[in-house]
Amino acid sequence: MLRTRRLRKTENIRRLVKETSLSVNDFVYPIFIEEGKDIEVEIPSMPGIKRYSLDTVSKELAEVTALNIPAVLLFGVPASKDDTGTETWNPDGIMQQAIKFIKKNYPSLYVITDVCFCEYTSHGHCGVIHNNDVDNDATLVNLAKQTLSHAEAGADMVAPSGMMDGAISMMRETLDNAGFPNLPIMGYSVKYASAFYGPFREAVDSSPSFGDRRTYQMDPANRDEGLREATFDDQEGADILMVKPALSYLDIIRDLKNNFDRPIACYNVSGEYAMVKAAAEKGWIDGDRVMMESLLSMKRAGADIIITYFAKEAAKLLAQ
C-alpha cells in the first residue's frame, strides 16, 4: 500500500521533507511616522500597531533591529494636507525627516518608502484631481518630484503604491537622470481595489472624501489583468513586483512567480492583520498558529518578500 504518512511520523522526518520555510529574512515591517512630538498612539483596528513621531519611534526601531528584521516600509502622516499633496516632496517633510533619522541612527535597517499621495491630500485620493477623478499624467509629474525627494533624503528603495499608468517608467527615468541609477523600485504592480485596506486608512487618515479608487486600482475579479499590469512594470524597469493584498490573491502571487524572473513581494495588509487579531482576541482561533500558517501560505505561493504587520511577532516565534 502507498503510505504517504510514513514521511509524517516524527518531527525530524517532517523537518527533513518540509518544502517551504519561513525566515526573518522574508519580512518587511511597515511603520507609520506622524509629524509632531510625543506621539505614540495605537491604531484601534490594528492592535499592537502604533503611529509614532520621530522622538518616540526609537524603541520600535531598536526592537526591529534587534529581531534582525532586514527592512522597514515607511508611511508618513503629515501635519497639513492640500489638494495635490505638496508635502510629499518637501525636503523637510515628515517622510524625508524619517528617512534621515533612521539612516543616521539605525544604519543597518534597509529603508523602503511608500511613494504615494493619499496620506497627503485633503481629498484622500492618490494624485491630482480633475473632473472628480485622478489625472494620471498630472500625478506622474508630482510623483517624479516625490521620488527624487526620497532619493535625496537617503531612501534605499522607493515603492509607488498609487497604480498610476507609467509610474515605474517615470520614476526610473527621474532617478537615472538625477544620479540615482542604482536605487531600486518595488512596484505595487498588482494592487486591487480591496475592502481589506480599511484599518490602514484609519491609520493614516486617507479615506477618500468622495468616490472610491476603482478607476485606478484593479477589480478583484480580474486575474489576467494582473499579469498585464506586472508585465508593464517589468518592462518599465521595476526591480521587484508586488501583489497587494496577499491572502485573497495567492493565485496571483503564483502567477507572477511562474511568469517573471524577478523577486516577488506581497503585502499582508491591515485588514488581514486585523481579522486574525480580532478572532484571536475572541478566543476563536489560535492567533499565533493562524499568523504563521497565513505567512507560510504566502511564501508557498511564491512570495520572496512578505510585507507584514506581523513581522515582529513572527520573528520572535521563528527565533525560538
Side-chain angles (χ1 to χ4, degrees):
M1 180 185 294
L2 295 174
R3 295 186 184 274
T4 55
R5 289 180 59 189
R6 294 183 188 117
L7 300 183
R8 303 174 194 154
K9 188 171 178 61
T10 68
E11 175 64 20
N12 280 347
I13 188 60
R14 290 193 296 269
R15 287 172 59 197
L16 286 170
V17 301
K18 185 188 292 287
E19 298 175 25
T20 306
S21 297
L22 278 172
S23 163
V24 68
N25 298 328
D26 300 324
F27 299 146
V28 174
Y29 185 56
I31 295 183
F32 302 104
I33 308 290
E34 184 172 358
E35 191 168 8
K37 292 184 178 180
D38 299 320
I39 298 168
E40 185 177 340
V41 180
E42 185 167 85
I43 300 156
S45 55
M46 299 175 69
I49 304 299
K50 300 178 180 180
R51 291 201 313 234
Y52 298 92
S53 51
L54 284 178
D55 59 341
T56 65
V57 76
S58 286
K59 182 179 178 181
E60 179 83 335
L61 293 169
E63 184 178 12
V64 171
T65 303
L67 289 168
N68 204 29
I69 295 168
V72 292
L73 175 60
L74 296 186
F75 295 91
V77 183
S80 61
K81 307 184 180 191
D82 59 29
D83 286 348
T84 54
T86 56
E87 274 296 299
T88 61
W89 63 84
N90 178 356
D92 296 316
I94 185 57
M95 180 69 85
Q96 292 77 5
Q97 292 182 49
I99 296 166
K100 294 173 184 176
F101 177 85
I102 295 173
K103 295 311 297 181
K104 177 181 178 181
N105 296 288
Y106 301 90
S108 65
L109 275 178
Y110 192 85
V111 175
I112 307 169
T113 60
D114 176 62
V115 183
C116 195
F117 295 95
C118 59
E119 306 102 300
Y120 299 85
T121 54
S122 53
H123 46 72
H125 278 284
C126 299
V128 178
I129 298 297
H130 287 160
N131 299 320
N132 281 338
D133 194 13
V134 174
D135 185 314
N136 192 97
D137 295 356
T139 298
L140 291 183
V141 174
N142 291 342
L143 192 68
K145 299 175 186 176
Q146 183 182 171
T147 299
L148 183 57
S149 179
H150 289 192
E152 291 174 339
D156 294 305
M157 179 184 288
V158 287
S161 60
M163 284 295 284
M164 295 298 111
D165 294 338
I168 301 297
S169 180
M170 170 67 82
M171 293 172 67
R172 187 72 271 156
E173 181 179 358
T174 298
L175 291 169
D176 290 352
N177 290 341
F180 297 99
N182 296 319
L183 188 69
I185 301 172
M186 177 165 61
Y188 280 65
S189 305
V190 188
K191 180 179 179 180
Y192 288 89
S194 173
F196 286 100
Y197 303 148
F200 175 90
R201 291 173 183 171
E202 177 186 19
V204 298
D205 189 24
S206 66
S207 296
S209 61
F210 65 90
D212 53 42
R213 296 181 175 138
R214 287 182 291 179
T215 66
Y216 45 101
Q217 295 177 0
M218 282 181 51
D219 186 338
N222 292 357
R223 180 176 181 177
D224 292 343
E225 184 185 7
L227 283 174
R228 292 196 296 273
E229 288 281 1
T231 297
F232 295 149
D233 277 9
D234 181 61
Q235 292 173 344
E236 291 178 19
D239 299 279
I240 296 171
L241 307 176
M242 186 212 294
V243 176
K244 181 182 179 182
L247 275 179
S248 292
Y249 301 90
L250 297 177
D251 57 325
I252 312 302
I253 297 172
R254 174 47 57 180
D255 283 345
L256 266 62
K257 187 66 173 178
N258 288 344
N259 285 277
F260 298 95
D261 186 23
R262 292 191 186 274
I264 305 302
C266 69
Y267 199 142
N268 179 209
V269 298
S270 59
E272 296 167 349
Y273 174 88
M275 288 192 304
V276 174
K277 286 293 185 181
E281 184 180 355
K282 290 282 189 179
W284 294 341
I285 61 171
D286 182 325
D288 285 348
R289 288 188 63 190
V290 170
M291 169 184 70
M292 298 305 284
E293 186 176 336
S294 298
L295 295 172
L296 188 66
S297 76
M298 300 166 205
K299 186 73 180 289
R300 190 184 64 243
D304 302 291
I305 298 166
I306 301 172
I307 303 164
T308 178
Y309 302 97
F310 287 122
K312 291 195 304 178
E313 294 170 78
K316 292 173 185 176
L317 288 178
L318 289 169
Q320 293 178 0

